[in-house]
Amino acid sequence: MAESSLRLKRRRTESMDDPPEFTRDSSNILSENQLLCLICLDVFTDPVTTPCGHNFCRSCLTQHWDKSPQCHCPICKEKFTKRPELKINTTLREVADHFKKKSEVDKPEVPCDACTGEKQKALRSCLDCAVTFCESHLELHINVPNYKKHKLINPVKNLEDYRCQNHEKPLEWFCRDDQICVCQWCIKADHKNHNIIPIEEEINHKKTQLGKTQTEVQQMIQDRLKKIKEINHSVELSKKNTEKEKSDSIKTFTDLIHSIEKSQTETLKMMEEKQKVVENQAERFIKDLQQEITELQRRETELEKLLNTEEYLNLLQDYPTICSPPTTKNWTDISINTDPDVETLITSLSQLQKTLDEKLNKTLDEKLNKTLDEKLNKTLNEKLRETGEKFHVPVFRQLKRIQQYAVDVTLDPDTANPYLVLSDDGKQVTCGNTEQNLPDIPKRFTNYCLIIGKQSFSSGRFYFEVQVSGKTEWSLGVARESVNRKGRITLRPQEGFWAVFLRNRDEYKAYAGSSVLLTLKKKPQKVGVFVDYEEGLVSFYDVENRVHIYSYTGQIFTKKLYPYFCPCNNDGGKNSAPLIITPVINTE
């Protein structure tokens, strides 16, 4: 009994430092902790399994149920209306027997104290006699009635540890006040009026606590394994998205290069054709000029001949036909156009520019702006607001891109705080002065003026816009389905809220671990909320001023998300304007 107490104390200390794990030793046998019966704290003998899945020695469990008024599991306390029929777990028994044999080989033998010659292997130790006996010397404790009352334990070398050092008596009791094992004389001397219980009862109590701790630790392990799985899943999704984006980028830029090359080829071909036209035109002009030169040279010869002739009759006869130059083309305004066809070139360049604009805009929208949207942090937000005009075009393109993911959101009246007043179409909400008599169902927020949308989202992207003009306080964003709806709430991701909010007319904040003060040049009149579930992104935009407000990045979503709204208290009518879910009109 005392040995079990010491072993329990030792194992309890170990479990506090090293949570139990399902490990295997070098011989592929389960570790000792996994083969212990939590009643006797020894390796299983004829192990049986309860309907709730826990394992015990058959004799230990049978004795436990015989002593208990109710039939329940000693570990998880699950009650059984009918006493289960216990069957030996043969597989577990084989493993336990294998472990016992291996332990017996590895465990040093304890010699018998009663042997005078060659020491035999001890079989049991007697706490009353303070002597360890072999099988032959143990017969007295088996056959003699007075000795049968002695307390026997497995053989140990340090037998004195299991006996009271002051009174030389077995340690059979446990003092809860001093948390030590005591003998019957200790109770009368130093532990009078203390909370003293039989050591067996304390062992059962400790085992119950150990069982609860084991269950909690196992649940903690499962929660962390689940979280690791979720993180790995998010990394895998990110990897797939990155690979797809890389592939799309390569294709986009390849198509862009092909378009440029095609336009370049067409332009060069056009220039070559123009050069060919110039050369053909020049060739025709030169041919005509050469013909005219030949005719003029012939006329010059005729004139030379007539000027030198002595026969005046020929001169007078031929004069009418050769007295003037032959008819030729007027070459004064005729020239070769060595410049390219400007109109054709402009058309070609315009087409090239149009192609480039389409490709570049698409690339910027899908790549550059997405990168800006996902990587925005506190510093970038401040820079973005400080240089708003410089970043006006990228934010404009962001809004234009994300507005294609617009969804129709309506308010869920079953979740509304009793002070909230909703419009008939479910698109407007404000805080009234009177609490309505509404049923307190699990979905309803009771302590704060909150409400969520009917629509839920567990994948993909979605976007909606909310009019906040005329209000002095508000908050909105998205919320996890499992958020606290009855107690105290803090608008931060750890509690399932991704939101921005206005307080005291001009204080804009967000929670990202701690409160983040947002500095906005202009007061937003309409706020856009964009969520990329797989990327773990929640972004907020001032729609009318086309300004990025704030982004939560690197989040891990595993449960449904709902659009979330809080019009805040009426404040005596100063904050009576409603939050209005407005239709999304694409930014042009």
Side-chain angles (χ1 to χ4, degrees), residues 88-102:
I88 295 176
N89 187 330
T90 56
T91 301
L92 187 57
R93 181 177 64 181
E94 291 174 0
V95 175
D97 291 345
H98 185 104
F99 183 85
K100 286 179 181 179
K101 292 177 181 180
K102 182 177 182 300

Side-chain angles (χ1 to χ4, degrees), residues 164 166-167 169-176 178 180-199:
C164 178
N166 295 326
H167 306 103
K169 295 293 182 180
L171 299 171
E172 301 179 276
W173 303 85
F174 186 80
C175 177
R176 284 188 169 176
D178 297 329
I180 59 173
C181 296
V182 297
C183 71
Q184 58 185 357
W185 295 106
C186 292
I187 298 175
K188 297 178 181 179
D190 301 327
H191 298 272
K192 192 175 182 179
N193 298 326
H194 285 195
N195 185 9
I196 306 296
I197 61 172
I199 198 168

Side-chain angles (χ1 to χ4, degrees), residues 61-62 104 143 145 292 362 366 407 456 521 571:
L61 186 59
T62 301
E104 289 175 359
N143 300 320
E292 289 187 0
K362 181 179 180 181
E366 295 183 355
V407 294
S456 65
K521 288 187 175 181
D571 193 17

